[in-house]
Amino acid sequence: MRIPRIYTEQPLEPGGQIELDADAANHVGRVLRMTPEQALILFNGDGHDYNANLTEVAKKRVTVQVNESQTVKNESPLTVHLAQGISRGDKMDFTIQKSVELGVTEITPIFTERCGVKLKGERLKKKHHQWQRIAIAAAEQCGRATITKVHPPVDLNEFLLQQTDELKLNLHPRASTTIKTLVEPKNGIRFIIGPEGGLDDNEIEQAANAGYQDIQLGPRVLRTETASLTLLSALQLQFGDLA
């Protein structure tokens, strides 16, 4: 039986005992229905896994004995920042989950002209929190010991103004450049994927003016969630750790 792997925001130290925070305690006690003495693995995003054992499982209290730690070496040498046009329904959730599994480093949800999702105020905060929790859950599942940062959503214009030394790419079906023609990036990559319907012509021009290079994946038009994951996979194959 696979040992459960649980994220906690708390500092972890071998030989110490901690009381799990509310989210982790709920997952251990109510979802997994674990009992004292059972083994689990804790991680908090510091690049290590911590072997542990439950010492108490009560209704409102779960305590854990932290044992030895081990460095997790499964991060890609390629850092990737995905700017994803916010999509409808569960497509955005799916994109975030699978991008984390494929090794994405950062994600910024972006509002564009053709974005059909209207979020602001408290709804926007809740959605952002949900997306970050999806990234954490994906890290739990795939064995990553670092957490992909999901940034608060911003307008495309605001994202384009961000200063960076990363190689900047914009997926465009009529581009002449392909991944195979790219020079290996020294400072990572950030790339833009539009929502359903893609970026409009004005946004494509704005991205080009901001130093984003148009790139294409092939002769077929891909859905937004397919485009993100295909480009990320291709970049990891070309410059990262996919074999």
Side-chain angles (χ1 to χ4, degrees):
M1 181 178 178
R2 183 178 179 182
I3 298 176
R5 192 164 179 271
I6 307 296
Y7 172 78
T8 178
E9 295 180 350
Q10 297 166 265
L12 296 169
E13 188 71 30
Q17 190 172 82
I18 64 168
E19 181 177 338
L20 292 182
D21 54 68
D23 285 344
N26 180 70
H27 190 63
V28 167
R30 295 188 177 185
V31 178
L32 298 179
R33 298 185 180 277
M34 296 182 71
T35 57
E37 304 303 325
Q38 283 191 289
L40 70 161
I41 297 171
L42 297 176
F43 75 107
N44 62 5
D46 69 356
H48 296 79
D49 275 353
Y50 295 81
N51 296 324
N53 290 92
L54 291 168
T55 56
E56 179 185 359
V57 181
K59 188 174 182 180
K60 294 185 178 181
R61 176 182 170 88
V62 175
T63 58
V64 175
Q65 175 67 39
V66 182
N67 303 318
E68 73 273 13
S69 68
Q70 53 191 10
T71 302
V72 178
K73 298 180 179 180
N74 62 6
E75 288 300 310
S76 173
L78 178 68
T79 60
V80 182
H81 189 155
L82 164 63
Q84 174 65 49
I86 299 173
S87 49
R88 297 182 180 91
D90 60 359
K91 293 178 182 178
M92 192 71 180
D93 297 356
F94 177 85
T95 300
I96 290 171
Q97 180 190 62
K98 301 309 176 186
S99 294
V100 171
E101 293 178 25
L102 289 168
V104 76
T105 314
E106 301 176 71
I107 300 172
T108 298
I110 53 173
F111 291 105
T112 69
E113 285 299 320
R114 291 174 177 166
C115 173
V117 179
K118 306 298 181 183
L119 293 169
K120 59 182 179 179
E122 194 61 32
R123 286 187 63 217
L124 182 58
K125 290 181 181 179
K126 289 182 178 178
K127 184 61 72 172
H128 175 228
H129 177 73
Q130 174 187 326
W131 289 331
Q132 185 64 73
R133 292 301 306 173
I134 289 170
I136 289 170
E140 285 181 339
Q141 183 276 326
C142 73
R144 292 181 66 181
T146 61
I147 301 300
T148 296
K149 174 67 175 179
V150 180
H151 295 281
V154 296
D155 289 335
L156 174 62
N157 288 337
E158 185 176 340
F159 183 80
L160 293 176
L161 291 174
Q162 294 178 5
Q163 299 299 309
T164 178
D165 293 327
E166 297 162 308
L167 175 63
K168 298 187 285 188
L169 304 175
N170 178 36
L171 192 62
H172 191 301
R174 295 187 298 277
S176 58
T177 302
T178 67
I179 289 176
K180 292 182 178 179
T181 63
L182 294 176
V183 176
E184 184 170 359
K186 297 180 179 179
N187 301 299
I189 294 175
R190 63 170 49 198
F191 66 89
I192 302 170
I193 300 291
E196 294 100 331
L199 303 181
D200 66 21
D201 290 342
N202 183 54
E203 290 170 329
I204 292 171
E205 182 178 357
Q206 289 176 329
N209 291 337
Y212 282 80
Q213 181 179 351
D214 288 343
I215 189 170
Q216 58 103 349
L217 284 171
R220 292 169 294 280
V221 177
L222 305 178
R223 290 179 177 270
T224 179
E225 68 274 22
T226 310
S228 302
L229 303 179
T230 303
L231 181 53
L232 179 55
S233 298
L235 291 171
Q236 291 286 25
L237 183 62
Q238 184 78 358
F239 303 118
D241 60 356
L242 285 185

